[in-house]
Amino acid sequence: MEIKTYRSLEFLLNHAKTGHVTSDVNTETIERRSFSPKKIKIFSSRYTNLENLPEHKFTSDKEAQKLLPGIINNFVQRLVPGDGKSRSAQRAFSMQRNIGVVFSGGPAPGGHNVIAGLYDELKKYNPESKMFGFLLGPEGLLKSKYVEITKSLVDAYRNMGGFSMIRTGRTKIDSKNKMELSLKTCMELELDALVVIGGDDSNTNAAFLAQHFKSTGIKVIGVPKTIDGDIQVKTDNKETLCAISFGYHTAARAFSQSISNLTTDASSNVKYWHICKVMGRVASHLALECAFQTHANLSLIGEELADYTDHQRIERARENGTIDYTAYGMTLRHLSRLICDTIVKRASKGKNFGVIIIPEGILEFVNEIQVFIIKLSKIISEYNHIHDNDFHTSFPVLNNKLEYLKRLARGLGDKDKFPIWNLRDDDLFNQLPSFFQEGLLLERDTHGNFQFSQVKTEKIIMDMVKEYLGILKEQGKYKIGIKRSDYNSIMENTGFIPGKLAKTIFKNPDDKYLIIKESIISLKTLKQALINSNLISPDDKVPEPIALIFKKSDPEFKTQTHFYGYDGRGSDPTHFDCNYTYNLGMTVFHLIANGATGQMAAIKNLEKKFDKWEPIGIPIAKLMRLEERKGKLTLVIEKSLVDLNSNAFRIFKALRNEWLAAESKKDRYRRPGPVRFTGNTEEDRPITLTLNSI
Ligand code: FBP
């Protein structure tokens, strides 16, 4: 008998192989950390200058002119090679300086490379210069909590995802007191400049800080971060200065890899519809990119829904001599009908499976929900203001909140203050499932944004879809098409003449995919049809092969839901984002060294090949508009939504029917593959960017 001897645990734990494969740092991480992003040519110049570009015009907002007088007249600026021998340039670039950096808002892949690019450039000109990272976002700035950023810290995070080096937070610097606290911290650290790496709201903060710090000489520079891709800057004459914020490409690629795996699962297992909600608080840029990356069967784009017009309703109203205003814009019910339509169409071609992409912020574009969001935001913020007490503390559970709203609708309680909530609102609101009511009543984030990521959008929509599919099934309209060859092989050796039987049970007996007649919705109705056509007598049972065909045609709608968001935010950056962010970091240094403040660092021509990339500064104040936040008009950077006239959207519209594949042809799924940072990936950039640059 063979006697098995076991190695001692001590031996195993001390073995080199064990150490290698269980180490926290694997080969991929080592390779990532040592990868050197490419540098834009201008950065090989000894010094740079800033050239104003007055030809790039923006219509600035009156309120921005009033509140940001010190930075509103900034120009778009481009980095140009400076005089390598200039004494003043040497002084400006090589002076010892302290720079503070803060991440703000949700993480986005590439943030660490912004720090790395800035750090390398800062130290290149003066190794005595210092960089500080504020901890946990703007909170660290307010509370003076920071770390000195050292080479070993930077090296540990080069080309790595997330914001874990110094972490992030959503604190808003929105009061005089917070401005003063921020200034105090910067003064104590003797900062020459503060760099705010954040989204639209955080760059808004950066502009106000730049204004507040102006007289002290401390510069403030913003960096366009957000996976949502909604910081895009175009001039008045539509020239693109910043095609996309960093992190967008990586997040879209990370989501797309998972979604694409689901397309493979769906078409292998042929029994599920995979419902994929993808992040993007309001804009559907991520959903659009994922659609191009994966060719999922149905991708919804919120911005398109807002633009929806129901022409049938308009026509009907016109015939009656009226105008139907409800025909403009999308309702939840109508949206669920559109989704059902595609499911039914694919089923009729034998495909009772598929993949749907739903943007996280879709409800923002659905009429009745948008109205609720606006009205409830106003009620909650005004309540807090009037009662000097938090709405959610006063009404801790859903029932309390509903009771308060009911009283408002009936003209009781704070009714005079909130005439916006009427009986109709209350009725409609009470028809929503309670998990959704809770979602709509959720606390807004610090910037007053509705927190879509906390709402089970996909559940709301898919519950309605399931309900309506049930009705369509009862009406005999939701059926799986049977492939003619399958039908013929089942009918072989049964004694039935396939042609005659086909005419009895199918509504399209001559087509490639056969669909059972709408009147046949059960074995009972099937039997009746066979009796009526004298194919069987009342005493006979439905023959087994025919029952089998009926069963095959009877769909079960099974879904699996997925949410892609946080995973993509934490993904390690793509080659595109590694290069983009490292160069953004270097741009920040050159803006600071050239004395800029109130500018957002950006790279022009991102949509083109790397050698066309151009570092610039964009005046943040000129991008600001008044927007409703927490029930009040507030000056913020305008979010870019999906432009329905853009090349990318028009091409998507033209191709989506093929991707839906509601025909007998094969599905057109695309495999984007995993996120990579090396190899010949020069062409790997957002597809939407490439299309928009045509
Ligand atoms: P930023 O705008 O701060 O970049 O964050 C974007 C985002 O990832 C959205 O897509 C999402 O709705 C939200 O953050 C989620 O925020 P949280 O981390 O607070 O749940």
Side-chain angles (χ1 to χ4, degrees), residues 349-360:
K349 299 296 173 200
K351 299 169 184 167
N352 194 34
F353 62 86
V355 174
I356 301 182
I357 297 178
I358 298 184
E360 179 189 54

Side-chain angles (χ1 to χ4, degrees), residues 145-339:
K145 295 260 188 298
Y146 56 86
V147 285
E148 182 173 346
I149 294 183
T150 57
K151 181 168 181 322
S152 58
L153 191 59
V154 173
D155 287 348
Y157 287 96
R158 285 179 195 274
N159 308 300
M160 306 298 287
F163 282 176
S164 28
M165 180 202 280
I166 51 174
R167 291 161 282 155
T168 184
R170 288 199 184 275
T171 301
K172 187 174 161 80
I173 302 179
D174 55 354
S175 65
K176 191 92 197 282
N177 183 33
K178 289 185 188 171
M179 293 275 172
E180 280 303 312
L181 283 174
S182 310
L183 182 58
K184 188 165 162 266
T185 306
C186 294
M187 301 278 252
E188 276 166 9
L189 281 171
E190 296 180 9
L191 292 192
D192 294 271
L194 173 69
V195 181
V196 180
I197 304 173
D200 48 345
D201 290 323
S202 314
N203 273 282
T204 298
N205 275 188
F208 280 99
L209 287 170
Q211 174 65 42
H212 194 73
F213 292 4
K214 189 81 201 281
S215 58
T216 67
I218 302 174
K219 318 276 181 274
V220 183
I221 299 293
V223 182
K225 166 240 67 157
T226 174
I227 61 160
D228 290 4
D230 54 12
I231 305 189
Q232 299 177 10
V233 182
K234 282 199 176 124
T235 59
D236 282 352
N237 52 8
K238 302 277 172 256
E239 183 163 357
T240 303
L241 297 183
C242 171
I244 206 77
S245 48
F246 80 77
Y248 168 78
H249 184 232
T250 308
R253 286 292 315 269
F255 300 165
S256 298
Q257 190 197 353
S258 301
I259 295 171
S260 141
N261 291 344
L262 294 175
T263 61
T264 308
D265 179 81
S267 52
S268 311
N269 202 12
V270 296
K271 66 175 182 188
Y272 289 125
W273 271 91
H274 287 285
I275 316 300
C276 307
K277 180 169 83 167
V278 301
M279 259 193 189
R281 189 189 284 111
V282 177
S284 300
H285 298 295
L286 279 167
L288 184 59
E289 181 67 25
C290 292
F292 279 113
Q293 293 281 352
T294 64
H295 301 179
N297 303 106
L298 174 66
S299 300
L300 300 170
I301 302 298
E303 289 81 343
E304 188 183 19
L305 304 189
D307 213 38
Y308 180 80
T309 310
D310 188 334
H311 293 287
Q312 273 182 355
R313 275 199 199 181
I314 292 179
E315 199 43 48
R316 241 180 288 136
R318 212 189 23 223
E319 280 164 16
N320 297 333
T322 56
I323 299 173
D324 185 349
Y325 291 106
T326 62
Y328 299 96
M330 179 69 67
T331 61
L332 259 187
R333 185 177 295 269
H334 197 84
L335 174 60
S336 63
R337 303 291 191 265
L338 289 183
I339 298 174

Side-chain angles (χ1 to χ4, degrees), residues 411-605:
L412 304 167
D414 292 323
K415 173 70 187 172
D416 341 333
K417 282 137 200 153
F418 304 126
I420 50 168
W421 194 255
N422 55 39
L423 280 171
R424 186 168 177 272
D425 292 323
D426 206 55
D427 267 1
L428 287 176
F429 195 67
N430 278 301
Q431 285 169 31
L432 300 175
S434 56
F435 78 90
F436 189 27
Q437 290 175 328
E438 296 212 48
L440 289 169
L441 283 161
L442 269 179
E443 212 163 329
R444 277 44 182 163
D445 78 2
T446 43
H447 298 274
N449 295 307
F450 182 74
Q451 303 201 57
F452 278 106
S453 58
Q454 309 286 319
V455 179
K456 293 216 172 333
T457 310
E458 68 286 15
K459 178 162 165 47
I460 295 153
I461 297 174
M462 294 318 292
D463 279 357
M464 292 184 80
V465 165
K466 279 181 193 159
E467 197 184 314
Y468 190 57
L469 277 179
I471 297 173
L472 292 177
K473 204 170 145 173
E474 272 171 29
Q475 293 173 347
K477 291 180 179 150
Y478 175 30
K479 296 261 165 78
I480 301 179
I482 310 285
K483 211 172 174 182
R484 169 173 292 284
S485 52
D486 288 353
Y487 167 70
N488 285 338
S489 72
I490 294 173
M491 293 317 293
E492 239 170 51
N493 309 324
T494 57
F496 286 99
I497 304 163
K500 178 149 191 224
L501 179 69
K503 282 203 177 85
T504 304
I505 61 173
F506 297 122
K507 65 177 184 188
N508 57 343
D510 300 323
D511 287 357
K512 192 165 167 196
Y513 278 87
L514 303 165
I515 300 168
I516 299 231
K517 286 180 178 167
E518 284 176 13
S519 53
I520 302 175
I521 53 168
S522 59
L523 279 175
K524 214 166 144 193
T525 44
L526 173 64
K527 182 172 175 182
Q528 197 53 52
L530 296 175
I531 296 170
N532 292 348
S533 300
N534 295 325
L535 287 167
I536 60 169
S537 71
D539 297 335
D540 292 339
K541 275 172 88 179
V542 174
E544 213 38 56
I546 304 180
L548 179 67
I549 286 168
F550 175 75
K551 257 196 177 154
K552 269 171 121 7
S553 78
D554 188 28
E556 207 185 325
F557 181 63
K558 292 207 271 189
T559 58
Q560 296 290 347
T561 50
H562 315 264
F563 176 27
Y564 298 113
Y566 299 103
D567 49 340
R569 295 198 321 195
S571 165
D572 290 331
T574 55
H575 186 249
F576 173 84
D577 271 329
C578 286
N579 285 329
Y580 177 15
T581 48
Y582 189 79
N583 282 282
L584 271 177
M586 292 201 290
T587 307
V588 170
F589 175 80
H590 285 256
L591 287 172
I592 295 170
N594 277 294
T597 188
Q599 299 289 82
M600 183 166 81
I603 307 286
K604 196 169 169 252
N605 296 336

